[in-house]
Amino acid sequence: MSQNTVIALDVKDVSVAYGGGRLSLRQANLEVRGGSVCGLVGMNGAGKSTLFKTVMGFLPPLRGTVQVFGQPVIRAQKAGLIAYVPQSEDVDWNFPVSVREVVMMGRQGKMNWLRRPNAVDHTMVDESLERVGMNAFAERQIGELSGGQRKRAFLARALAQDGRLLLLDEPFGGVDVGTSEAIINLMGELRREGRAMLVSTHDLGTLETFCDEVALIADRTVLLYGPTAEVLTAENLAATFGGRSPLHAPAAKKLEARP
Amino acid sequence: MNLELLLEPLQYDFMTRALLVSALVGTVCAVLSCFVILKGWSLMGDAVSHAVLPGVVISYLLGLPFVIGAFAFGLLSVSAIGFIQSRSRVKEDTVIGVVFTALFALGLVMISKISSEVHLSHILFGDVLGIGDSELWQTVIAGAIALIVTLLLRKDLLLYVFDPTHARSIGLNTGVLNYVLLTMLALTIVTALQTVGVILVVAMLITPGATAYLLTDKFSKMLWIAVACGILSAVIGTYGSYFLDGATGACIVLVQSILFVLAFIFAPKHGQIARRRQQMAERADELGEGGPPTAPRPVLTRVRTSSKGQASD
Ligand SMILES: Nc1ncnc2c1ncn2[C@@H]1O[C@H](COP(=O)(O)OP(=O)(O)O)[C@@H](O)[C@H]1O
Ligand SMILES: [Mg+2]
């Protein structure tokens, strides 16, 4: 596959800080190839969300570079190559917009300067709503949705963007089993369409079902990345999760250890 | 019987002019108000409107159009607020309060120093019935610019107000959008100065939007409803003030407040009556009054787990 030779995301030696002196990401390196899915795994506070914000250009790197399909991030964003779904949406849920209008916002960067949607935009919005199973809720005001439905709505907006690289920060956070299965299926489809993805998650159990590669992140830097099977060893996970691997530690032992 | 009395104001040239100007002002303010209330900039609007006072006085002293001085001080106040806030730990509303009261006080001192020729009340409370040719044109031009720019950019401005993170992630320049919106806010305030005056401008900038927000869940409709409220109250207020012989700005604002109260009570979905009715209906459903008989509920008994510790972790 020729697509796999393209580098979708190239993070080189990146360090960032949130204003203060302490670095929140230390010399992180990561490569995601075109058409592949990379899982980003690490404990809370390891720096996953920070890495996403850095890739999006919200936090300017103090050192190092980020390139998306060989271009600077801003250029890639203007070209509509990247779609980003943050860990939690920081929006006013009483805002007078419907689900359909939110999804249409994913198309806005591609419209002419008057921002009038054309036939393609409408089709894309309908398809995206369909793919996340939110057709029936399209005309609802966004506050009138459950947590999982809100997550789906914003996922639909990212789909409508039709980006070549999708950045999903904890898409399984706070959703039920049904929704998380639906998201995994969706990621499979997107991968077959040749889109690259970077997906952070806590759920080690499902990693192997949808990831080509895994990056381990701990103590504010990327420890290691590579093919899923090679990376997910007991030893590596132990290093990531501070001493013991949540995947490999035998359950019986864990119980005995308790008083 | 009173038809003659009611039509009387329309015979006068100054009255038709006043009606047209206040309708325009009502329209521009209404459009901006939709963005202002969604962005949470009510206090910012209040601040900018007070901060323009020294600008008006300086324009008067230099013989410049009042619009220019007012607009300059509007932008100055916005920049000062942004500058201080980004460089100190003081919260935004505090900074806004400090800056605008300082500039307003400066304006008051200037007025008290320069003779009694300038009518304090005209600047503070507006005087659309006595609007001169020059002020009329300044108002129309400033208003037209604010209206056209805001409407042309409304989609991007709306996206910026709703979700700045997404706006940035699709490559929009949110810094520019922020300043465009602030500039349009200042320009709109300048437009409304001659009609309602410094002190009450902020009502024009929030009340129509707030009323519309109670009446709909769609932004496009919200814009139209706000504009309708803006024009209606401008016309009724101006008309009414003819009989009161003054206080036009206050009359307009009063009509707007009445419209807001009506929406607060009677709005079809978010009004008090509708909310109460919906609560009652839901409660009735839950309590099963008149509803279909509920299926017998499965009885759950406590299950003892054989291997303890399974449920932990
Ligand atoms: N807004 C912020 N300001 C300052 N420090 C932050 C901020 N957000 C995160 N951090 C710090 O950056 C580090 C990484 O956090 P984050 O990327 O959110 O972790 P994760 O997403 O992996 O749970 C943490 O040490 C956290 O304290
Ligand atoms: Mg996070």
Side-chain angles (χ1 to χ4, degrees), chain B residues 199-211:
Chain B
I199 293 176
L200 286 177
V201 167
V202 67
M204 307 281 288
L205 275 170
I206 51 184
T207 314
T211 307

Side-chain angles (χ1 to χ4, degrees), chain A residues 17-57:
Chain A
Y18 287 92
R22 202 177 110 100
L23 292 183
S24 290
L25 211 54
R26 302 180 296 129
Q27 300 181 335
N29 283 288
L30 182 64
E31 241 177 55
V32 180
R33 280 173 298 149
S36 78
V37 180
C38 179
L40 190 59
V41 175
M43 292 197 287
N44 281 332
K48 300 183 294 293
S49 298
T50 306
L51 181 60
F52 281 106
K53 287 180 216 163
T54 310
V55 170
M56 288 308 289

Side-chain angles (χ1 to χ4, degrees), chain A residues 44-45 47-50 87 169-170 200 202:
Chain A
N44 281 332
K48 300 183 294 293
S49 298
T50 306
Q87 183 169 353
D169 195 356
E170 303 210 12
S200 73
H202 286 294

